[in-house]
Amino acid sequence: MFPSALLAAAPSPGPGGSLGEAAEHAGNAAGWVEENWSNWLSTGLRIVLIVAIAIVLRFTIRRAITQLIDRMNRSAQAVEGTALGGLLVNTERRRQRSEAIGSVLRSVASFLILGTAALMILSAFQINLAPLLASAGVAGVALGFGARNLVTDFLSGVFMILEDQYGVGDTIDAGVASGEVIEVGLRVTKLRGDHGEIWYVRNGEVKRIGNLSQGWSTAGVDVTVRPAEDLDKVRTVISEAAASMAKEDPWNERLWGPVEVLGLDSVLLDSMTVRVTAKTMPGTSLGVERELRWRIKRAFDEAGIRMFGGVPAQADEPSPADPTAGMAAPSAYASTTSPQSLATTPLTPPPNVSK
């Protein structure tokens, strides 16, 4: 207890009290202060030192994390605009990923440093921390159970960002929704759908992720022709059209390998299907497939190869016209003896009977 509290709690001398009692109480208070001032001073200095170290350490660590994140962003911006940067680096993706990681690291560092400093300060006051820690553990378990969905979303978002499962600009299939990633958060991921809609997907609900923008993609085209066509000619025409496409911009950058004619995928009585594939830049397979179909169709038209499902083939010499095609069918009323003609004949008047 502080001296002021002791003096306030001490009984004041009544009107009949002696001056010696007051002096005795003052002497006791002064002796108590003299005995404990060193403990107070050491405790105060310890608390000040703990607070100072915690503030300096927190500032240093947060600044180091911020500089590391800024350096990552500068390295991403340095290669932007180059051929390598266009293929491997997405500046916005790197920026959001680095900012999210930096925010998590700064929050964890602040929590650990300030929490440890608070426990050390309480320990300096000789407070038993065991009940406090036990209560905090019970409260943490209750909070985690009540907000388990929020905790699940947060932890899933942290691991998605740390593992770089997807980023801004990627086209993904998250099971519950699919589209282009426009924002990655610790709790929610925003996707732009094929029709322009925006999907807000909770990270904890994502059980599987199919990233269509990592590594490379495959463009596949099925060409269906008539069974009477020459397969060698079909292969040659497709290869020439693909080789011409691979030499032109921008397809020479989007195609990461030669266009391959794998062969017959199916053979039916009225058609046969030829499978064509190509390795492409991530996210460009759909455009490559459309361009391949366009060029193959034009090449087939020039080579006289008929595709299945088109206009049926015409004979070399037209068959003579049927001379009776333009004649009308004979009428039943042309014959006077037909039942229809007899039914329409007027009745003859009865003969005159003389009286």
Side-chain angles (χ1 to χ4, degrees):
M1 299 178 63
F2 294 97
S4 58
L6 291 176
L7 293 177
S12 58
S18 61
L19 186 60
E21 293 180 356
E24 183 179 358
H25 287 299
N28 293 335
W32 185 81
V33 170
E34 184 178 0
E35 292 177 359
N36 296 280
W37 74 270
S38 58
N39 294 332
W40 297 343
L41 182 60
S42 62
T43 303
L45 291 177
R46 184 183 303 173
I47 294 174
V48 171
L49 184 62
I50 292 173
V51 172
I53 293 177
I55 292 175
V56 172
L57 186 61
R58 178 176 178 270
F59 175 79
T60 304
I61 293 179
R62 288 176 65 91
R63 185 174 181 180
I65 294 174
T66 303
Q67 291 179 354
L68 177 62
I69 298 302
D70 294 340
R71 185 178 302 175
M72 292 173 59
N73 293 333
R74 286 196 301 268
S75 62
Q77 295 174 359
V79 296
E80 184 181 9
T82 62
L84 180 62
L87 294 177
L88 301 180
V89 177
N90 187 319
T91 305
E92 181 65 18
R93 170 178 177 171
R94 290 285 299 271
R95 187 191 66 80
Q96 287 203 11
R97 179 169 177 260
S98 59
E99 290 295 336
I101 294 176
S103 176
V104 172
L105 293 178
R106 284 190 291 266
S107 300
V108 171
S110 299
F111 177 78
L112 291 178
I113 294 173
L114 296 182
T116 304
L119 293 178
M120 294 178 66
I121 290 174
L122 294 177
S123 178
F125 283 111
Q126 296 182 355
I127 297 177
N128 188 10
L129 300 179
L132 181 62
L133 294 178
S135 302
V138 173
V141 171
L143 181 62
F145 181 78
R148 58 185 181 275
N149 291 332
L150 182 62
V151 175
T152 302
D153 296 341
F154 180 82
L155 293 179
S156 300
V158 169
F159 283 108
M160 286 179 182
I161 293 174
L162 292 178
E163 296 173 359
D164 195 19
Q165 298 179 6
Y166 55 84
V168 175
D170 287 350
T171 301
I172 66 171
D173 181 4
V176 293
S178 61
E180 181 181 356
V181 180
I182 59 177
E183 184 177 343
V184 179
L186 294 178
R187 193 182 69 87
V188 174
T189 298
K190 294 173 63 176
L191 303 177
R192 174 78 67 179
D194 296 334
H195 302 288
E197 68 276 10
I198 296 180
W199 297 97
Y200 294 85
V201 181
R202 288 172 41 201
N203 296 329
E205 294 181 348
V206 179
K207 304 302 181 183
R208 61 168 180 82
I209 297 176
N211 196 326
L212 308 179
S213 301
Q214 285 185 351
W216 47 269
S217 299
T218 301
V221 175
D222 291 331
V223 182
T224 305
V225 297
R226 296 181 179 276
E229 299 295 337
D230 186 2
L231 289 178
D232 294 333
K233 183 178 179 181
V234 171
R235 180 190 295 271
T236 302
V237 172
I238 294 176
S239 301
E240 291 176 355
S244 175
M245 175 181 171
K247 297 177 182 178
E248 299 179 6
D249 292 332
W251 311 110
N252 53 359
E253 295 182 357
R254 299 180 182 179
L255 286 172
W256 284 9
V259 179
E260 299 180 0
V261 181
L262 299 183
L264 287 176
D265 191 62
S266 64
V267 179
L268 303 177
L269 293 176
D270 55 352
S271 66
M272 54 184 180
T273 303
V274 180
R275 183 68 174 174
V276 181
T277 62
K279 185 180 294 185
T280 67
M281 180 189 300
T284 62
S285 60
L286 189 59
V288 172
E289 291 176 359
R290 292 169 178 167
E291 185 67 18
L292 268 176
R293 293 189 186 99
W294 182 284
R295 292 176 179 265
I296 291 174
K297 178 61 172 65
R298 291 177 56 185
F300 277 8
D301 292 341
E302 294 176 359
I305 300 176
R306 294 186 299 271
M307 301 183 68
F308 175 74
V311 179
Q314 300 294 333
D316 296 336
E317 296 182 359
S319 59
D322 187 3
T324 63
M327 298 176 58
S331 176
Y333 297 99
S335 176
T336 57
T337 60
S338 64
Q340 292 84 357
S341 180
L342 293 176
T344 58
T345 302
L347 297 175
T348 59
N352 294 331
V353 179
S354 61
K355 295 182 179 181

